[in-house]
Amino acid sequence: MKICLVSLGCTKNLVDSELILGLFAQVNGEIVTKPEESDCIIINTCGFVEDAKKESIAMILEMLDYRTKKRPVIVSGCLAERYIEELKESLPEVDLIIPLKDYEKIGKVLADFFKDEKFSDKRLDFEKRVRSTYSHLAYLRISDGCDNKCSYCAIPLIRGNYKSRLKAEIISEAKLLIKQKVKEIVLISQDLTNYGNDLAEKENLTSLLQAITEIKGDFKVRLLYLYPDEITDCLLDFIKNETKMIPYFDIPIQHASDKILKLMNRRGSQKQLKSLFAKIKEIPNAVLRTTVMLGFPEETEEDFLILKTFIEEIKFNHLGSFLYSPEEGTASFLRPVPQKDASMGYLNSIMEKQSWISLNHLEKFIGKVEEVIVEGYDKTEKLYYGRNYYFAPDEIDGRIIFKSKKKLNISESFLVKITECDFYQLKGEIYED
């Protein structure tokens, strides 16, 4: 059976997609990238915000054009979990919908659907997943769900309460990835910093990181998504002193106005955020990334100016912004929102300010020699591109573009001398000593 899978949404959903591909690989399925060449099409959807839902629906409709009696279309993921009945009613052409709650019995679901018993005893197995990332990179998901209950967020409605994976299971997967020559392990979760609070043995993120970094091998660990008020001095000290840890701090704050933070049901305050970021900036080569939300109910120009001033003061290395999306079932759903034009104006103002902050940070790299891992080649421009520690692999931060007279292999590291930059990327050439 030839499988074509389209994965939408975040890296956490990407891991689910890799697990599903791994299940089909267990029954000798072949993965193809063109839907017209497949025997089955799967769309693993996102349902986090309105734009993501629209993208998922559009992709389902696109893939349905390839559907035949011998080429079924299956829909899985967050949209399937949140809107299964609506999908059944509005898109009856979809052959099978698999919500998240059925992932534990997905082998039986597929066995019944395909009328093929070879699926019946198969399950989603982290150590049998088919990775879709570069060979040097792997995402390691340490939990699912979320307990934070932010008033705008639908993740607890979709993914449920926070559930940590067992430490032994995570370590086993990490060892396998290192054996597979993975150089950068990216820990992901809805909230990494809550890890272990629900486990009987009461582990925490620092103790987990200590166990991972004790594994022998040439690799680095990057963390994506830390909740601000759960970041301990112990965690900061560990990241500072452990050579296998990339000092990269992805800490979405959403806002800096105490009033808006409270309405968002976000713990902490602007004062506490400033204190935290001051500590982080004491760590050599620390990189700060955040996201902020504009247009939340009751946000005023005063709140916006508080946020803008905060961003000007902290000077994040990377910052993304997005507009508030009212989501059914969340505490803020029925609250009146500010005018969209005004909110978009605020967002544009924030991003213009951030572009100059980013440029100022990147200018400091000019003249330096950086270790860069190659992730692609632009045949038109005849330039390679890749990343160093400063950029995360999710294509949000930016990248390094560089020249080389010799042919370079993807996933190998080289020294690159940085010669110039623009607002969000560095430029250079292979360093000849």
Side-chain angles (χ1 to χ4, degrees), residues 69-131:
K69 287 185 178 180
K70 293 184 178 180
R71 185 186 295 131
V73 169
I74 297 173
V75 173
S76 63
C78 292
L79 193 76
E81 174 67 26
R82 196 172 179 197
Y83 298 107
I84 184 168
E85 296 304 325
E86 291 88 340
L87 288 172
K88 286 179 179 178
E89 183 176 344
S90 60
L91 293 171
E93 307 96 317
V94 173
D95 296 280
L96 177 65
I97 300 175
I98 308 178
L100 300 176
K101 63 176 175 287
D102 284 350
Y103 279 12
E104 290 186 359
K105 57 177 182 179
I106 193 170
K108 179 67 167 58
V109 170
L110 293 173
D112 292 344
F113 177 72
F114 288 115
K115 295 180 173 55
D116 190 338
E117 283 304 308
K118 68 173 177 282
F119 286 96
S120 60
D121 63 342
K122 300 297 182 291
R123 62 185 181 86
L124 301 182
D125 187 332
F126 281 94
E127 296 193 9
K128 293 181 180 178
R129 67 180 168 124
V130 175
R131 288 195 291 115

Side-chain angles (χ1 to χ4, degrees), residues 212-234:
I212 292 174
T213 54
E214 285 174 353
I215 302 171
K216 292 183 179 179
D218 177 20
F219 66 95
K220 298 284 187 182
V221 178
R222 187 187 298 269
L223 307 179
L224 289 185
Y225 198 101
L226 304 167
Y227 197 96
D229 86 323
E230 296 170 338
I231 298 174
T232 63
D233 289 345
C234 182

Side-chain angles (χ1 to χ4, degrees), residues 211-277:
I212 292 174
T213 54
E214 285 174 353
I215 302 171
K216 292 183 179 179
D218 177 20
F219 66 95
K220 298 284 187 182
V221 178
R222 187 187 298 269
L223 307 179
L224 289 185
Y225 198 101
L226 304 167
Y227 197 96
D229 86 323
E230 296 170 338
I231 298 174
T232 63
D233 289 345
C234 182
L235 176 61
L236 294 180
D237 287 341
F238 182 82
I239 294 172
K240 177 181 178 180
N241 296 314
E242 173 53 59
T243 57
K244 287 182 178 177
M245 293 299 304
I246 298 173
Y248 185 97
F249 297 86
D250 174 32
I251 308 172
I253 62 170
Q254 310 309 353
H255 218 283
S257 161
D258 287 346
K259 182 193 87 177
I260 298 299
L261 289 172
K262 186 174 181 180
L263 289 171
M264 288 178 169
N265 199 32
R266 300 278 297 182
R267 300 187 301 276
S269 65
Q270 181 185 136
K271 183 179 179 180
Q272 290 170 317
L273 290 172
K274 285 183 178 181
S275 174
L276 171 63
F277 295 145

